[in-house]
Amino acid sequence: GENVEQHPSTLSVQEGDSAVIKCTYSDSASNYFPWYKQELGKGPQLIIDIRSNVGEKKDQRIAVTLNKTAKHFSLHITETQPEDSAVYFCAARKSGYSTLTFGKGTMLLVSP
Amino acid sequence: EAQVTQNPRYLITVTGKKLTVTCSQNMNHEYMSWYRQDPGLGLRQIYYSMNVEVTDKGDVPEGYKVSRKEKRNFPLILESPSPNQTSLYFCASSDLRGPVANVLTFGAGSRLTVL
């Protein structure tokens, strides 16, 4: 089955810095790559996603890049703010399947 | 408000005492799923359902049962809980078609402790 590796497991940055979280996947048939943010005491919530026919997608301060050849995708957060502090999960889904395989998560801490 | 509702949010129980965690969604989603979240292990899928009366095992189904008798409800049943089932559980749902297909909406979580 699909295997998703996520790094780093924790990331500490100063407010205003950029943060990058990287994921790799194993199954070349995967074609959908979402990112979820989990705030303390809440369930994960989708923040951005990308499909395999696109190399990059942006939404204000967040962006996701996808390299299908290398089978990796990354989340980029610019101008980080304390409210960006949360656990972030990447995931991958194979074409024709409904289930997502999640990475193990990255705890992002943004210090004021 | 579109949401996934889980109950109970917190539960402490003892080994072997059957329990059910309920999950209900009000978005008419076909797909529903249960995950458990453990430190260092991320989100692991327990069971999922693509429609009424259709359920399938995820990655860690041992010790759990589910049912999907109605579209909106997807209860998680622990027939004989054991301490290794102490975890944070999430229910999630999504459409299977359309522009938001496969975008999961998660519940707020149910923290279960088995003594």
Side-chain angles (χ1 to χ4, degrees):
Chain A
E2 175 66 279
N3 182 48
V4 177
E5 299 284 339
Q6 182 172 349
H7 299 281
S9 56
T10 59
L11 179 60
S12 294
V13 299
Q14 292 289 317
E15 183 176 0
D17 288 349
S18 295
V20 180
I21 302 170
K22 299 182 179 181
C23 289
T24 60
Y25 60 98
S26 61
D27 195 328
S28 56
S30 290
N31 66 348
Y32 174 65
F33 307 93
W35 286 87
Y36 284 80
K37 176 184 181 183
Q38 184 182 23
E39 297 177 343
L40 194 62
K42 297 183 179 180
Q45 186 170 15
L46 180 76
I47 54 171
I48 195 167
D49 56 12
I50 192 168
R51 300 184 187 273
S52 59
N53 58 346
V54 175
E56 183 176 5
K57 184 176 179 181
K58 288 184 179 180
D59 184 2
Q60 299 182 332
R61 295 186 298 107
I62 61 173
V64 57
T65 58
L66 171 64
N67 183 326
K68 284 214 71 181
T69 302
K71 290 191 282 189
H72 67 69
F73 57 111
S74 301
L75 178 71
H76 304 254
I77 306 174
T78 59
E79 300 173 25
T80 54
Q81 301 167 2
E83 51 264 40
D84 294 328
S85 295
V87 177
Y88 291 81
F89 291 99
C90 63
R93 182 182 66 88
K94 288 198 302 184
S95 174
Y97 286 77
S98 58
T99 60
L100 287 173
T101 300
F102 285 89
K104 293 182 178 179
T106 296
M107 179 176 289
L108 174 64
L109 300 172
V110 181
S111 303
Chain B
E1 180 188 356
Q3 60 185 356
V4 176
T5 303
Q6 300 178 224
N7 281 296
R9 293 288 314 280
Y10 303 91
L11 179 64
I12 300 174
T13 189
V14 295
T15 299
K17 186 176 181 181
K18 180 180 179 179
L19 68 92
T20 299
V21 186
T22 64
C23 174
S24 180
Q25 49 95 4
N26 62 359
M27 296 164 283
N28 201 36
H29 285 166
E30 299 95 343
Y31 182 86
M32 296 187 75
S33 182
W34 277 102
Y35 295 87
R36 60 178 288 173
Q37 183 176 11
D38 301 289
L41 297 178
L43 292 163
R44 295 181 293 167
Q45 190 176 49
I46 303 170
Y47 269 95
Y48 66 97
S49 169
M50 295 184 66
N51 214 328
V52 176
E53 302 291 359
V54 179
T55 62
D56 276 297
K57 295 178 181 179
D59 297 320
V60 288
E62 295 78 18
Y64 304 94
K65 286 176 57 178
V66 292
S67 68
R68 188 92 181 273
K69 297 177 182 176
E70 305 164 285
K71 195 172 187 179
R72 63 182 295 125
N73 296 322
F74 191 46
L76 180 69
I77 303 156
L78 286 72
E79 294 270 3
S80 182
S82 62
N84 65 9
Q85 293 178 298
T86 293
S87 187
L88 178 58
Y89 291 87
F90 287 100
C91 181
S93 71
S94 74
D95 275 321
L96 286 176
R97 285 169 287 275
V100 291
N102 303 119
V103 175
L104 290 170
T105 299
F106 282 85
S110 296
R111 184 166 293 281
L112 171 64
T113 301
V114 183
L115 302 175

